[in-house]
Amino acid sequence: MTGAGATRLAVVGNPGNRRVTMFQDAVRRAGIAEARAVPWLDVLCGRAEFGAGELVRLDSPGEDPEVERRLRDVEDATRVEGTAVWYERFIAAARTAGALAHASGARLLDDPDELAVLFDKRRCHAVLREAGVPVPFSPTSGTVTRVRGWDDVRELMTAHRLPRVFVKLAHGSSASGVLAVETAGGGRLQATTSVLRDPDGRLFNSLRVRRYTTESEIAAIVDALAPDGLHIERWLPKASQHSRSADLRVVVVGGRATHAVLRTSASPMTNLHLGGARGDLAEARAAITAAGASWDDALAICERAAACFPGFSRVGVDLLPATGWRRFAVGEVNAFGDLLPRLRGLDGSGAEHADTYDTQVAAILCRIGSEQHVIA
């Protein structure tokens, strides 16, 4: 490699997927050779190959029915169950890709071992907590406390005085299997979730958020999810914008917070595919300043969270602003949290005129340039 023109990239993803397509578009805009696409299906089937000198990016295995079937043993991708098997097979595939790349003289931009932590909410929470990153209290932080079902959830809520919690699949993503559980006087319970339970007890992801108001319904869902592993967190009261719950997705590339989107929702889940909407970021920043807090400090929390995973080229940090916009906590750190089409970078980030993929390609070229300078 003697310069940008000699840069050879490979991306392990699903060809035709919008993540791969948008990364390739950014590569072309940077004026370097198109990244070679290595399908996850080839990795899973043992026929993936890498070239000497290639820089290899790992991307999401989602949105491919055959890949999903091989990872979870399900024919219907909307099924919720099976995330423990998915995790075991996906991390094994990522490590296989890493071993093949290393044997071929290629280099990974994303560490499979860090990927394994990012896709285990219990381990990720513990890493953040131990690094001093503010996170919601969790009785399942780390891997010590095993949640076998609803009875364990109720016991932990009582023991730790947690009237409102999020119950999450340890290896879930995109709010799949998440329940926002709250208790009230007289033993009343309510769970808000996108999980649909059919008459046969099978669980499906739905695009409609619904509420379950009987303990038997909530227990049945939690008991069905428990074999895949569960993580429990205190449900923190969040700030609001125009009477809608608000949080932020902040993308950190090369250690720097470069892009942010405010997400608002009428439900506890702000995911855009579940009815969430992009809010007014400028208005949120003004609210933070008016509350006597600092936008720069909020971004610094995200950068501290990302610094826990130095071997991963980019992460998406879910930042939870507390009521009043004065304090913040990190809800999750997402390995593939960079899919924010048409979003331009933050002022002062150096990515003001670039989307998340342009910014990542620029960071790769900067890394190559720095390495060449050291060698020279």
Side-chain angles (χ1 to χ4, degrees):
M1 253 181 241
T2 58
T7 301
R8 296 197 303 278
L9 300 177
V11 54
V12 183
N14 294 326
N17 181 278
R18 54 186 173 160
R19 294 175 181 273
V20 173
T21 299
M22 292 173 72
F23 182 73
Q24 295 283 35
D25 289 343
V27 168
R28 283 190 289 269
R29 286 193 292 268
I32 58 178
E34 184 173 282
R36 192 171 61 84
V38 179
W40 275 114
L41 191 57
D42 284 1
V43 176
L44 291 167
C45 293
R47 54 177 184 255
E49 295 181 352
F50 298 94
E54 283 185 329
L55 294 177
V56 182
R57 167 190 174 88
L58 299 182
D59 216 323
S60 171
E63 301 181 19
D64 184 294
E66 180 59 21
V67 171
E68 186 73 7
R69 187 185 67 78
R70 287 176 179 269
L71 289 176
R72 279 207 299 156
D73 285 337
V74 295
E75 296 299 332
D76 188 340
T78 66
R79 288 289 296 274
V80 180
E81 303 95 329
T83 53
V85 171
W86 178 94
Y87 174 79
E88 179 182 345
R89 294 177 180 176
F90 174 52
I91 298 305
R95 287 177 170 144
T96 295
L100 290 171
H102 179 75
S104 302
R107 289 188 295 160
L108 287 184
L109 294 168
D110 305 299
D111 185 342
D113 290 336
E114 291 189 5
L115 187 67
V117 178
L118 287 164
F119 269 101
D120 187 325
K121 298 184 193 304
R122 301 161 300 189
R123 295 175 63 192
C124 186
H125 186 282
V127 167
L128 295 171
R129 175 176 50 81
E130 291 165 6
V133 176
V135 289
F137 170 77
S138 169
T140 56
S141 186
T143 57
V144 176
T145 303
R146 181 168 175 260
V147 180
R148 295 162 296 184
W150 173 245
D151 288 345
D152 286 349
V153 173
R154 286 301 305 264
E155 183 178 334
L156 289 169
M157 291 176 67
T158 300
H160 296 281
R161 298 181 180 179
L162 300 172
R164 301 168 81 232
V165 298
F166 277 98
V167 180
K168 304 178 179 181
L169 282 167
H171 311 300
S173 61
S174 302
S176 175
V178 173
L179 292 91
V181 179
E182 49 193 323
T183 59
R188 289 175 296 161
L189 282 165
Q190 177 174 281
T192 305
T193 180
S194 63
V195 173
L196 170 65
R197 183 172 180 266
D198 75 3
D200 296 322
R202 298 175 302 176
L203 306 182
F204 295 86
N205 285 307
S206 167
L207 294 179
R208 183 172 75 85
V209 175
R210 65 197 70 232
R211 289 184 175 89
Y212 295 93
T213 56
T214 68
E215 184 163 6
S216 60
E217 290 177 309
I218 298 169
I221 294 172
V222 172
D223 287 346
L225 294 175
D228 284 315
L230 295 177
H231 177 57
I232 301 170
E233 289 181 349
R234 184 191 302 275
W235 177 353
L236 299 178
K238 290 195 293 188
S240 63
Q241 186 176 89
H242 304 298
S243 301
R244 291 167 62 89
S245 180
D247 65 17
L248 296 119
R249 166 65 58 85
V250 179
V251 178
V252 181
V253 179
R256 186 162 191 177
T258 59
H259 296 73
V261 62
L262 183 76
R263 306 181 301 184
T264 71
S265 176
S267 85
M269 274 74 78
T270 58
N271 302 73
L272 300 181
H273 71 285
L274 294 178
R278 290 191 183 187
D280 189 325
L281 182 62
E283 185 178 322
R285 291 182 61 170
I288 291 169
T289 301
S294 165
W295 172 246
D296 289 341
D297 288 348
L299 293 183
I301 291 173
C302 298
E303 291 174 351
R304 285 167 54 197
C308 295
F309 305 97
F312 219 79
S313 61
R314 78 291 186 192
V315 293
V317 180
D318 289 345
L319 188 68
L320 314 178
T323 302
W325 296 98
R326 286 182 57 86
R327 297 182 308 279
F328 302 87
V330 171
E332 295 188 10
V333 182
N334 304 273
F336 305 129
D338 53 355
L339 183 63
L340 296 170
R342 299 177 299 280
L343 182 68
R344 294 299 165 182
L346 295 166
D347 291 342
S349 68
E352 292 86 348
H353 304 292
D355 68 14
T356 59
Y357 293 97
D358 291 321
T359 304
Q360 292 173 65
V361 173
I364 293 169
L365 295 179
C366 182
R367 169 178 169 174
I368 293 169
S370 296
E371 292 174 351
Q372 290 174 347
H373 178 73
V374 170
I375 293 172

